[in-house]
Amino acid sequence: MKRLVLVGGGHAHLFVLESLARLARRDIDVTVVSPGCWQYYSGMTPGWMAGHYSQEDIRIDLRRLADRAGARFVQASMVGMDAGARRVQLSDGSRLRYDRLSLDIGSETRRDRLDASGRKLLTIKPLEVFQRRWADVMRDAVTRDDYRLVVIGGGAAGMELALSANRALRKACPSASVRLVTGADGFLRDHSPSVRRRAIQALRRAGVEQIAERAAGAEDGVTLASGEFLAADAVLAATGASAPAMLKTSGLRLDADGFVSVNPFHRSLSHPEVFAAGDVCSRDDPHFRRSGVHAVHAGPVLAENLLAAIDGRPMKAYRPRKTTLYLLACGDRYAIASWGRFSIEGHWVWKWKDRIDRRFVARFSPGAAAEPADEGSPHKQL
């Protein structure tokens, strides 16, 4: 019997578990390892912050999915790996051996120059930790005459979080202020000029100040490259992805930034028995970005390739689309659609995004249909 270990409960592994449940393979010993039994769907997190969703609306029960797939669920984190010995070390002190391994553990938030903000610093990942910290922010804001939040990040995640936080904080504390520090490299640089214009207008309408400078953490806020100090009660970092540090000693081939290097089959370039998907991996492909869109679309391909590798069958390449649809939440029930050079916005775009997101969560919830038509939400991964 082949031993398949799935480490992480990311988007792509949801499709693997769905496939295993449908096929009911009894010749594979499957183990799922995750630090928590819930996957909190990143595409709906800004909506949860803004008050549009409950916690139950945005989470998927990984333990139940594993049960349906006939897999053993281990609630722990991977803290080490020896790719040569085909072994992973878990936070509970145990070790797991594998014949095939798939990594979908996500990434960490880059904290470059922000650690000096200390306890005031919130990072968006891991999401379950961020949710607890955000609840603390909201409890504090209710008791204040004012509340000052600084969001760091020039990508779509920074924009979505700033607008969602602004809506929530101003309901709790009408005099609250939110500033978005987008860096000096360009705001929403992966999107078209029309998307940037729409996003800047959305920030202005909401009263969120955008600051196009680099920032460094400070004891009571952040210091801008110009020398200006921004006082803050909390600093929220949406500063992009950093590779998990423990990969450095894994023995796997990594890219220059420490992410697992994979081929178009999402198979490790150094160890063919190892696969990786989502934020933890990288490909030499100009159309492959580290986002939830690709994690979702790569999921069915990863599921097929893991079984093909076990059975000795040919595998299928995941080929990212040249143009990807992103639906960006704007705090209120309003969103911007980004498709290459084309963009559009409105309340109806929010309803479109909401419908897709809810269908994604429902797909992997008890009683969901086995083959919904939609593969998931086109959103920028947080």
Side-chain angles (χ1 to χ4, degrees), residues 101-290:
L101 174 74
S102 183
L103 300 175
D104 191 10
I105 58 176
S107 61
E108 299 171 359
T109 302
R110 281 209 317 264
R111 303 166 64 104
D112 301 352
R113 299 160 49 89
L114 293 175
D115 279 336
S117 295
R119 296 183 63 183
K120 292 189 175 184
L121 180 64
L122 289 77
T123 57
I124 191 62
K125 297 176 181 179
L127 281 173
E128 57 270 25
V129 175
F130 169 73
Q131 287 194 348
R132 293 195 295 271
R133 296 287 311 279
W134 182 250
D136 293 339
V137 167
M138 293 303 298
R139 281 192 290 269
D140 190 18
V142 170
T143 67
R144 301 285 295 276
D145 293 330
D146 61 0
Y147 196 91
R148 300 160 300 180
L149 175 70
V150 174
V151 180
I152 313 292
M159 183 211 80
E160 289 187 292
L161 293 173
L163 288 168
S164 298
N166 183 70
R167 184 182 190 276
L169 284 172
R170 292 199 174 180
K171 287 182 69 176
C173 174
S175 58
S177 65
V178 176
R179 289 170 161 174
L180 174 61
V181 181
T182 56
D185 296 332
F187 177 48
L188 293 177
R189 62 186 180 191
D190 292 332
H191 294 268
S192 70
S194 68
V195 172
R196 287 193 288 274
R197 286 194 296 271
R198 293 180 189 276
I200 289 170
Q201 289 169 1
L203 291 168
R204 287 174 179 167
R205 286 195 303 268
V208 175
E209 181 184 1
Q210 180 203 347
I211 302 171
E213 292 190 46
R214 291 191 68 186
E219 184 177 353
D220 293 311
V222 299
T223 302
L224 302 179
S226 63
E228 181 183 357
F229 174 73
L230 301 182
D233 298 294
V235 177
L236 173 52
T239 45
S242 175
M246 56 86 183
L247 290 175
K248 295 178 182 178
T249 58
S250 66
L252 295 172
R253 179 173 170 180
L254 309 177
D255 72 1
D257 295 317
F259 296 96
V260 179
S261 296
V262 297
N263 62 19
F265 306 121
H266 278 258
R267 197 173 201 174
S268 165
L269 294 183
S270 61
H271 293 77
E273 65 278 0
V274 176
F275 292 73
D279 276 9
V280 74
C281 73
S282 70
R283 284 176 50 174
D284 186 16
D285 186 326
H287 303 298
F288 184 80
R289 295 179 185 175
R290 192 161 284 108

Side-chain angles (χ1 to χ4, degrees), residues 195 325-328 335-339 342-345 349 352:
V195 172
L325 175 66
Y326 294 90
L327 301 179
L328 310 179
I336 300 169
S338 170
W339 173 262
F342 173 79
S343 69
I344 198 166
E345 63 185 299
V349 179
W352 180 22

